[in-house]
Amino acid sequence: MKRLIILSLIALVSINMLAQEKDIIVLAKNNGYLIARPPVIATPKNKKKSICMWTDTEKNDWYEQTLELDNVPIAKDFEKMFPDVTNDQDLPYIQMPWMLTEENDETVLHCYLRMPADVIEEFWLTDVEGGILDKETGITYRARRTEPECYEKLFEIKGKKGDVLDFKIFFPKLPKTTNKIAIYGVPNWFLRGTEVNINRIRVNYNFSEFELIDDIPYDEKPQFHKPRLVVEAKNYDKDNFRTWEEYADPHLIKPVEEGTMAMWITPEATYLAIATELNWSREYFGRGGNTMLMDNTGHQYKCKGVIDYPNNTLFWVQGYSGDYFAIVLVFEPIPLTLEKITYISPEGEPFHVRNASWEGEVRPNLNVGELRMNQRLFDYFPRKIVK
């Protein structure tokens, strides 16, 4: 009976551990900087272990070596997580990869180290300088603890040459709205204010697989400043500009490179904002029509309309030369799992007006994650004029 209870407890613990392992959201990962491989000190007499001194540690002027670690976890499935990181022990450099995750209501920075020797002396992880800064809100999330416990300590690592160790630094959980951060206070991984874009991907770990599962949240439907219709279309004729609709007071944005795009993905539609420059105080445009998005399988997502402007007809916009404003196209909804998308805008029908042009455009392999990161570039920015 006692044996049965023990086995049952072991099974419950195993199930809980697997459940915890599966509840991991990868926020960002990086193959890391290349650093010079620290030289191996001659093996002491009567000892079989190789030893190296970690020459890049910057804290040895403040702290003496106070700790010996022989219990650092070994990273499972490291090669699957970082297929491009080399395992060649003969190269004069080693890589310092890292991964930022969300686990059990905390943000965890995994710092991976492939042992260049069996023993490393004078190593450092982090201290009170460890922090994550949200670049948009200005809120800093401070390091809470480390695993194994080596916070604010200079230490010696004992392991096996070639093994990949997994040091963990724990921070408060980042909000789901966090898009761009900077990581500070982890000098041996060159995280000293490094800017990082956040992408949320659920990872399913087990002993034989590394599976990516969609867990990216939808965007809220974007809200844009509504332009004023100042002239209604009268018997629209593409060859007569006096029949085109005219708008004033568009959704102005800060100056960016013309053609910059941002994307919002909702269950009902995909919104694509395009940064547009006014070169004159009154200029004509045409958008929509047969414009589409296309994924790498060739599947097309049709344009359903243009927010607040005519779809597939020419129109005027009033403003000031030098204004930048947003024209927003609405497409059929795309899957959240798409990483790349191609924007295709066919050439518009020829028309008669001075300098007439409705040029086509193809922009292949746009990064969907980067387009979503650009949303903040399209915040309304009222015009500022000095006379």
Side-chain angles (χ1 to χ4, degrees), residues 24-234:
I24 295 176
I25 307 296
V26 174
L27 304 179
K29 69 186 185 82
N30 192 285
N31 288 340
Y33 283 90
L34 303 178
I35 65 168
R37 184 178 296 276
V40 175
I41 302 172
T43 304
K45 293 181 180 179
N46 302 323
K47 292 186 178 180
K48 297 182 179 180
K49 293 185 178 296
S50 57
I51 301 174
C52 74
M53 185 79 68
W54 195 264
T55 55
D56 286 339
T57 297
E58 297 181 350
K59 295 294 181 179
N60 48 10
D61 291 336
W62 287 271
Y63 298 93
E64 295 181 359
Q65 186 159 304
T66 59
L67 185 66
E68 293 184 0
L69 295 179
D70 58 4
N71 60 340
V72 184
I74 297 174
K76 297 178 181 178
D77 292 326
F78 177 80
E79 284 72 20
K80 294 179 181 178
M81 292 185 285
F82 296 92
D84 298 326
V85 174
T86 180
N87 184 24
D88 191 340
Q89 296 288 306
D90 295 325
L91 293 174
Y93 62 83
I94 58 176
Q95 287 179 265
M96 304 295 287
W98 54 266
M99 182 165 63
L100 190 69
T101 65
E102 185 179 291
E103 305 173 39
N104 301 321
D105 289 327
E106 289 186 294
T107 301
V108 184
L109 178 63
H110 294 258
C111 299
Y112 299 103
L113 171 65
R114 190 180 296 278
M115 292 287 285
D118 298 309
V119 178
I120 301 176
E121 295 182 351
E122 292 196 5
F123 200 78
W124 178 265
L125 187 59
T126 194
D127 60 1
V128 294
E129 295 178 353
I132 297 175
L133 170 66
D134 187 318
K135 297 287 286 186
E136 294 182 357
T137 66
I139 298 173
T140 298
Y141 301 83
R142 308 309 304 181
R144 290 173 165 174
R145 66 185 191 283
T146 64
E147 184 182 299
E149 177 50 50
C150 55
Y151 183 84
E152 208 174 47
K153 292 182 174 69
L154 194 66
F155 53 90
E156 175 184 291
I157 311 169
K158 293 182 178 180
K160 181 182 178 182
K161 181 179 179 180
D163 280 351
V164 179
L165 305 186
D166 181 5
F167 290 92
K168 301 175 186 177
I169 306 174
F170 295 83
F171 302 85
K173 183 179 178 180
L174 298 178
K176 285 190 174 182
T177 54
T178 301
N179 290 318
K180 180 174 286 189
I181 62 171
I183 305 176
Y184 294 85
V186 193
N188 281 317
W189 278 264
F190 288 83
L191 297 172
R192 308 163 178 165
T194 304
E195 289 195 358
V196 177
N197 293 332
I198 297 297
N199 294 294
R200 294 177 173 271
I201 302 175
R202 185 181 295 278
V203 180
N204 181 12
Y205 288 93
N206 59 37
F207 295 107
S208 61
E209 297 179 0
F210 185 78
E211 181 184 2
L212 297 182
I213 304 174
D214 167 39
D215 191 57
I216 307 171
Y218 281 108
D219 297 308
E220 297 289 334
K221 180 181 177 180
Q223 302 297 319
F224 296 95
H225 176 79
K226 188 178 181 65
R228 290 186 294 110
L229 176 63
V230 293
V231 177
E232 293 185 5
K234 297 179 180 179

Side-chain angles (χ1 to χ4, degrees), residues 267-308:
E268 297 78 26
T270 303
Y271 299 86
L272 187 72
I274 304 173
T276 309
E277 180 185 10
L278 271 177
N279 295 287
W280 310 95
S281 58
R282 183 172 180 260
E283 198 166 344
Y284 67 83
F285 301 91
R287 293 291 187 274
N290 295 321
T291 300
M292 71 180 73
L293 300 174
M294 187 170 67
D295 62 27
N296 58 6
T297 70
H299 185 83
Q300 298 175 1
Y301 304 87
K302 296 179 180 179
C303 179
K304 297 163 44 174
V306 184
I307 292 182
D308 295 327

